[in-house]
Amino acid sequence: MKDYNKKDLFRYEGHRCHTLKTQLRYLIGTPGFQYSYCLRHAQNASNPLYRLFWIILLRVMMYIFGIQIPYQTRIGEGLKFGHWGTIVVNPNAHIGKNFSISHGCLVGNAQGKRMGVPLIGDNVVMNANAVVVGGVKIGNNVLIAPNAFVNFDVPDNSIVIGNPGKIIKRDSSPSAKYIVYSVNDYYN
């Protein structure tokens, strides 16, 4: 299993990700991990035919699982789907490591004053039905609450809650308790 896939699986199971039993269980029975597995292969394939195979398989999975994250999207290691279904991420979005996303989430572009796509930092958790749109910067260690609407910059160590979104600053990472297995611990 490739390094990115192992680190994505590490987010679900910790060091048990190295066992064949765990790898097979997630490849066969976990739609979110199945999607990220195909996504990583489509992103990292060097052979054009091999890449085409993974892109087609990824497209099929988009329809089956309701996850629309194109292979062009740059996502750091440690991608985790809390729940799958109706997840849409713009292909131009930049997302850091230890990113967790739940069902109903949107990371999209916008026109007008905040034209562009989001830049999302490390250790960010997007809960159910959260929306992040526009050329905004989401800092590191940010927790985006369920149903939050974010079209503004969010500083590090913050919680965003509500629609319209409201920022609650914290002294430490509010997303830490939601990131049980961080890829920072992968080699420990």
Side-chain angles (χ1 to χ4, degrees):
M1 193 177 276
K2 301 279 188 205
D3 197 45
Y4 264 83
N5 285 321
K6 276 266 181 89
K7 289 181 180 177
D8 289 346
L9 185 55
F10 183 83
R11 288 290 317 286
Y12 292 88
E13 285 288 328
H15 289 290
R16 289 185 300 260
C17 71
H18 301 294
T19 67
L20 182 61
K21 179 182 174 184
T22 299
Q23 293 170 10
L24 289 174
R25 189 178 87 199
Y26 277 85
L27 276 172
I28 293 169
T30 306
F33 181 72
Q34 291 171 356
Y35 191 88
S36 66
Y37 184 85
C38 289
L39 175 70
R40 299 305 190 180
H41 278 287
Q43 290 173 332
N44 298 318
S46 56
N47 180 317
L49 288 174
Y50 191 59
R51 177 176 292 224
L52 180 62
F53 168 78
W54 287 107
I55 290 171
I56 291 169
L57 187 57
L58 191 65
R59 177 62 68 173
V60 170
M61 289 187 150
M62 280 183 185
Y63 293 112
I64 294 171
F65 299 141
I67 299 172
Q68 296 180 31
I69 303 177
Y71 74 96
Q72 301 96 327
T73 309
R74 292 199 279 181
I75 301 176
E77 55 200 18
L79 171 62
K80 181 180 180 186
F81 293 94
H83 301 281
W84 54 275
T86 321
I87 295 171
V88 179
V89 177
N90 187 285
N92 298 316
H94 297 262
I95 300 171
K97 64 184 179 180
N98 290 323
F99 181 64
S100 298
I101 189 166
S102 290
H103 64 284
C105 289
L106 167 69
V107 177
N109 68 334
Q111 302 299 317
K113 182 179 174 184
R114 288 289 190 171
M115 187 168 96
V117 294
L119 173 63
I120 298 176
D122 296 339
N123 307 316
V124 173
V125 176
M126 281 184 72
N127 285 296
N129 302 312
V131 175
V132 177
V133 293
V136 299
K137 183 178 185 292
I138 306 299
N140 298 322
N141 308 314
V142 171
L143 175 64
I144 301 173
N147 300 311
F149 180 78
V150 183
N151 65 347
F152 47 84
D153 292 342
V154 178
D156 293 350
N157 300 319
S158 297
I159 299 173
V160 182
I161 188 168
N163 183 1
K166 176 183 166 190
I167 297 173
I168 302 170
K169 279 287 286 164
R170 296 287 187 219
D171 293 330
S172 61
S173 172
S175 63
K177 68 180 178 180
Y178 294 93
I179 300 174
V180 178
Y181 300 109
S182 169
V183 294
N184 299 332
D185 302 327
Y186 182 74
Y187 295 106
N188 295 337

